[in-house]
Amino acid sequence: MASERLDAPELPDFTVLKRLARDQLIYILEQLPGKKDLFIEPDLMSPLDRIANVSILKQHEVDKLYKLEDKPVYSNSDQLCFLIRPRIKQVKFIANLVHTDKASGRNRKYKIIFSPQKFYTCDMVLEQEGIFGDVTYDEWSFYLLPLDDDVISMELPEFYRDYFLEGDQRWVGTVAKALHLLNSIFGPVSKTYGIGRCSKMVFDLWRDLLEEDERDQKERQSDLGVVFMIDRDVDYVTPLCSQVVYEGLVDDIFRIKCGSVEFGPEVTSCDKSIKVLLNSQDKVFGEIRNEHFSNVSGFLSQKARKLQSQYDKRQGMDIKQMKTFVAQELKGLKQEHRLLSLHIGACEFIMKKKTKQDLQELMKTEHSLLEGFEIRESIGFIEEHINRQVSPIESLRLLCLLSITEYGLITKDYRSLKTQYLQSYGPEHLLTFSNLKRTGLLTEQVPGETLTAVESKMSKLVTDKAAGKLTDAFSSLAKKSNFRGISKKLGLIPRVDGVYDLKTPNDMAYIFSGAYIPLSCKLIEQVLQRKGWTGLEEVTRLLNGNEFVEQLSDRNSSSSSQRTIVAVFLGGCTFSEISALRFLGKEAGYKFIILTTSITNGARMLESMMETKS
C-alpha cells in the first residue's frame, strides 16, 4: 500500500463537533430543571452514546432512560423528555401518551427534543392532536457525528429512500445546514464541485445560508479547501459490488453501526458478545482496514509474532526493567493482544462464511457483469442463486447489478427473472420491484421509440419553470443506465497484463480485486486533476448532467488547505469508497474528509427499497 506523502496536509480535529453537540444537549436538558425520565428513539441511541454516555446524562438530572417503543409507557416521573427524529409517527405516539395522562388525571410536564431539527409537519400534528400548548419543544442541532479522524456521518439512513424513491426533499435543507456548520468552524471553503440534482439543491441552499450569514473570516486560516458533492444515484454500481477490503467485509457480514461492531460468540470464542469501536485508535484495525482481504491474514500472523517477541522481552529483565515494562508497555500490549485475537476471529468467520457462499463463482459473475462478458452465463448463475433461495437481498443485488451494467434488462429476461424471484421469495416483493424501477436500480429495456417519446416529454417538463416542483421519483421514470459508455470513457475497467498486484496496487481498482475502479472516486480524481468538468462533457452527458463548479471564496489560498477535500455523499457512502479515497489521497498528496448522510452498502440500500422485511 502507498505510504503517506510528506507534503500531505494535516486533518482538522473534528472532536470539537462532538463537544458542541454534547454542550447543546446538556443546555437543552437543563431547560427542564429537576428529575426527568428520558425516552430515546432507537435510531438515536447509538449516535447519542458516541456523544454523551449515561453518566453524563445522569449528572444533568436524567433519572431513567427508556427506548421509545410502540408500547405503553410506565414512568413515575412528573417530567418526561423525548429525544426523537422529526417523524409524524413518533409525534402521534407522544400525543397519545399526553391524552392518556389527561384522561387519568395525571399532571406532568412534557418536552420534545427534535434532532437534528423540527419540521413544520410536527407542529401540524401537535395542533391537530390538540396538545400544542401542553408540550414544550427544542431542536438539538446534532448534524455531524465524527466516526473517525476522516469520516463524518449525519446518521440519516432514511435520506436515501426519502429523496431517491419518494422524492421527499425535507432532508436537503438539513444537509445544507450541516455543511454550513462545518464551513463556519473549519472554513471558509474556497471551491465546490458537484454532480447530481440533489447536490445542486443542497449547494443552492447552502449558498443562501452563506449569504445570510456573511461573518468576516478574512483573518482566519482555513482548514478546508474544496468540497465535492455527489448523489448516490450517479454511481449505483459501486455499492452493488461485493466488498473485499477488510472494513467493507466486516460491515457486510457483522454490520458496523455508528462506528462500532458487535462480535458474537463465533468470533470472541466465549459465551458473550463484545462491542468494539472500529477507528484509527485501534492500532491493529488501523493497519488492515483498507487492505484487500487476501492480505489481511498474513498481516495478522506477522503482527502476532511481533507481539509475542515484545512479550518475550521480559525474559532476563532485572527488577527495575520489569517495573518500567509493566508501567509503560504491558497495558498497551494486552490491549493490542485482545484486539488482535478479535480480528483473527473475525477473519476466520468471514473465510468460513465466504467459502460456504461459493465466493469464487460470485466474484467471477460480478466481474463478468462489470466487463460485459459472458452475460448469458451470468444470468444462469443469478437464476440458480434465486432458485436455491440463497438470500433475497443477495439475489436482488445481482439482479440490480445486471440491470445497471446492461442498460436495463430485455423484456424476456426481466419478466423471467422477476417471476422466478417472486416464486422463490414470495409475491409480497412485487412492491419492491416497483420501487427498484422508480429509482432506476432494476429496469426493463423499453423499445427505442417509446423511450425517446418519454424522454422528450420529460425534457419539456424539466425545462419548464415548474421543474423544481417535479419530484425526483417522477423524473426517474426516464432514467436509464449508461454504465458501459461511462466505463469506456473513464477507463473504469483496468487492463492488466498478468495478475493484478493486490499487495502493492497502483490504482483504486484494488478495492474490487483489480476488476473495477469505483465511478464515484474516479469522478472525484478526474475533476480535481482538471480543476473542473472541462474535458468530461461526454461523461456528464451520460450521467444526465447536473454538474456544477462554484467559487465560494478567494481568500483561502493556502496550498495546504487546498489539498484538503471534503467528499460529500448524498444517499450514503460505502467503506470501499472510503478506502479508495484514502488510497487516492496517499498517491496524490490529498487529505480526504468523507461526509456522508450515512454509511451504506448493497444490502442496506436494497433493504430500504423493500416494503417487506426479508
Side-chain angles (χ1 to χ4, degrees):
M1 196 64 68
S3 57
E4 198 84 55
R5 268 179 44 165
L6 295 173
D7 59 347
E10 287 294 311
L11 281 168
D13 179 13
F14 292 118
T15 53
V16 68
L17 294 169
K18 285 187 185 179
R19 290 201 300 275
L20 277 173
R22 181 167 56 243
D23 292 350
Q24 193 195 5
L25 180 63
I26 288 166
Y27 175 78
I28 291 167
L29 289 171
E30 285 175 347
Q31 299 308 297
L32 192 67
K35 294 261 183 195
K36 51 198 157 276
D37 284 354
L38 179 62
F39 291 81
I40 307 162
E41 189 173 329
D43 284 2
L44 282 165
M45 292 194 91
S46 293
L48 177 65
D49 195 40
R50 296 288 302 263
I51 295 297
N53 56 28
V54 176
S55 60
I56 290 172
L57 297 173
K58 296 268 186 192
Q59 285 167 26
H60 296 88
E61 298 187 290
V62 171
D63 189 22
K64 289 178 183 161
L65 289 128
Y66 299 93
K67 188 190 281 190
L68 189 65
E69 292 174 305
D70 199 6
K71 58 185 185 185
V73 166
Y74 300 104
S75 169
N76 297 320
S77 178
D78 290 332
Q79 299 195 115
L80 303 184
C81 222
F82 301 90
L83 178 58
I84 62 168
R85 290 274 189 227
R87 294 180 181 133
I88 291 171
K89 181 188 169 190
Q90 307 293 17
V91 177
K92 282 191 171 177
F93 176 81
I94 294 165
N96 289 338
L97 174 65
V98 175
H99 289 316
T100 306
D101 281 353
K102 277 184 179 177
S104 62
R106 183 81 195 255
N107 187 26
R108 300 200 240 218
K109 283 185 180 174
Y110 310 92
K111 185 182 188 74
I112 304 175
I113 303 170
F114 292 100
S115 175
Q117 66 188 92
K118 175 174 67 68
F119 292 134
Y120 176 64
T121 46
C122 300
D123 281 343
M124 283 174 60
V125 172
L126 290 170
E127 280 187 38
Q128 284 165 4
E129 296 286 337
I131 63 156
F132 193 79
D134 298 311
V135 301
T136 57
Y137 65 81
D138 248 308
E139 290 182 330
W140 182 31
S141 308
F142 176 33
Y143 296 113
L144 300 168
L145 173 66
L147 297 180
D148 208 342
D149 298 343
D150 59 350
V151 182
I152 304 170
S153 172
M154 293 186 68
E155 290 302 306
L156 290 175
E158 63 264 53
F159 183 100
Y160 176 71
R161 183 186 168 103
D162 285 354
Y163 182 85
F164 293 100
L165 176 65
E166 310 287 357
D168 185 339
Q169 298 170 3
R170 62 185 166 156
W171 296 113
V172 171
T174 309
V175 181
K177 285 178 181 174
L179 280 168
H180 190 55
L181 173 66
L182 201 67
N183 188 67
S184 61
I185 299 171
F186 303 104
V189 166
S190 62
K191 202 177 235 183
T192 301
Y193 304 106
I195 184 162
R197 279 194 67 195
C198 187
S199 295
K200 189 74 177 87
M201 288 163 68
V202 167
F203 176 76
D204 289 342
L205 285 171
W206 178 30
R207 188 171 49 192
D208 291 345
L209 289 171
L210 288 170
E211 285 168 5
E212 282 170 26
D213 187 27
E214 279 204 32
R215 281 197 290 265
D216 188 17
Q217 293 184 334
K218 283 178 187 171
E219 301 304 313
R220 197 180 177 289
Q221 179 61 49
S222 175
D223 292 320
L224 308 176
V226 174
V227 167
F228 190 105
M229 300 162 75
I230 184 166
D231 288 12
R232 184 68 277 170
D233 66 352
V234 168
D235 175 16
Y236 274 145
V237 172
T238 302
L240 290 172
C241 290
S242 293
Q243 301 195 81
V244 284
V245 289
Y246 181 65
E247 191 167 14
L249 267 170
V250 170
D251 185 40
D252 279 355
I253 289 167
F254 301 101
R255 285 288 169 106
I256 297 173
K257 191 177 179 186
C258 214
S260 62
V261 68
E262 195 162 312
F263 289 132
E266 67 279 359
V267 171
T268 60
S269 304
C270 58
D271 295 338
K272 59 179 185 184
S273 296
I274 296 176
K275 198 172 182 182
V276 183
L277 200 60
L278 296 178
N279 58 25
S280 48
Q281 303 303 310
D282 176 342
K283 287 179 183 173
V284 178
F285 179 70
E287 292 187 64
I288 58 174
R289 66 191 313 179
N290 304 312
E291 290 288 338
H292 189 276
F293 188 65
S294 62
N295 301 333
V296 173
S297 54
F299 171 83
L300 291 175
S301 58
Q302 191 182 336
K303 188 83 178 169
R305 285 195 297 273
K306 190 179 171 187
L307 208 58
Q308 188 58 51
S309 68
Q310 285 177 294
Y311 270 123
D312 292 344
K313 280 198 308 187
R314 293 173 300 175
Q315 311 302 327
M317 281 186 179
D318 59 30
I319 297 294
K320 191 179 177 184
Q321 288 170 325
M322 185 64 83
K323 190 179 174 184
T324 310
F325 175 78
V326 170
Q328 294 177 4
E329 291 181 52
L330 190 60
K331 192 181 175 185
L333 287 174
K334 279 189 171 176
Q335 171 72 353
E336 214 169 319
H337 183 267
R338 187 183 74 88
L339 292 169
L340 184 64
S341 62
L342 281 173
H343 290 299
I344 289 170
C347 277
E348 286 173 351
F349 182 77
I350 289 168
M351 282 194 275
K352 276 182 203 164
K353 197 170 174 69
K354 288 298 177 186
T355 309
K356 270 187 194 170
Q357 287 179 355
D358 202 0
L359 184 65
Q360 292 302 320
E361 274 300 306
L362 180 68
M363 298 307 287
K364 186 185 166 196
T365 301
E366 284 186 23
H367 294 178
S368 297
L369 292 176
L370 291 166
E371 292 171 20
F373 298 134
E374 300 178 347
I375 299 304
R376 294 322 307 175
E377 287 87 339
S378 299
I379 290 173
F381 176 83
I382 296 169
E383 284 178 326
E384 188 189 335
H385 200 277
I386 292 168
N387 297 327
R388 281 169 52 211
Q389 298 180 326
V390 178
S391 151
I393 287 288
E394 278 291 287
S395 296
L396 213 51
R397 182 178 70 78
L398 290 169
L399 281 174
C400 292
L401 189 60
L402 171 66
S403 170
I404 285 172
T405 52
E406 287 297 304
Y407 306 101
L409 301 177
I410 59 171
T411 303
K412 181 169 77 84
D413 287 339
Y414 180 82
R415 289 180 183 171
S416 165
L417 289 163
K418 181 179 175 183
T419 304
Q420 289 179 67
Y421 188 92
L422 296 174
Q423 285 170 345
S424 265
Y425 298 117
E428 63 272 20
H429 289 286
L430 257 173
L431 284 169
T432 305
F433 276 84
S434 169
N435 290 344
L436 293 170
K437 202 167 191 173
R438 283 167 64 191
T439 50
L441 274 164
L442 181 53
T443 56
E444 183 181 355
Q445 279 181 17
V446 185
E449 286 178 18
T450 320
L451 191 58
T452 312
V454 172
E455 283 184 317
S456 63
K457 280 180 189 171
M458 284 303 300
S459 64
K460 280 175 192 169
L461 282 169
V462 293
T463 50
D464 192 287
K465 277 190 178 177
K469 293 177 185 174
L470 283 171
T471 65
D472 287 72
F474 183 63
S475 71
S476 70
L477 289 171
K479 269 184 196 168
K480 61 177 195 241
S481 167
N482 293 304
F483 177 73
R484 287 274 170 268
I486 295 161
S487 178
K488 276 181 187 162
K489 296 274 175 205
L490 290 173
L492 299 181
I493 312 296
R495 297 282 167 246
V496 182
D497 295 328
V499 181
Y500 187 93
D501 186 359
L502 292 168
K503 276 199 164 60
T504 51
N506 55 14
D507 61 29
M508 293 181 281
Y510 88 91
I511 66 160
F512 292 121
S513 305
Y516 161 68
I517 297 171
L519 169 57
S520 52
C521 303
K522 188 70 174 178
L523 282 173
I524 293 171
E525 178 195 48
Q526 289 296 307
V527 170
L528 291 175
Q529 271 181 12
R530 298 163 190 265
K531 295 189 167 50
W533 294 98
T534 312
L536 295 170
E537 291 82 3
E538 190 59 27
V539 172
T540 55
R541 186 185 66 76
L542 292 169
L543 288 168
N544 303 319
N546 292 308
E547 75 283 2
F548 60 92
V549 183
E550 298 283 349
Q551 187 78 34
L552 287 177
S553 165
D554 49 12
R555 304 197 292 258
N556 181 8
S557 56
S558 148
S559 63
S560 171
S561 64
Q562 285 304 306
R563 293 200 312 280
T564 306
I565 318 296
V566 183
V568 183
F569 287 83
L570 301 171
C573 171
T574 67
F575 282 116
S576 292
E577 287 168 310
I578 294 170
S579 293
L581 288 176
R582 284 175 180 146
F583 177 87
L584 176 61
K586 284 178 179 176
E587 290 283 301
Y590 293 120
K591 264 287 190 286
F592 282 100
I593 296 154
I594 289 86
L595 169 57
T596 176
T597 49
S598 65
I599 296 292
T600 194
N601 57 24
R604 284 196 191 97
M605 199 165 78
L606 294 173
E607 278 163 11
S608 71
M609 293 289 105
M610 284 189 160
E611 298 295 343
T612 175
K613 297 291 174 223
S614 59

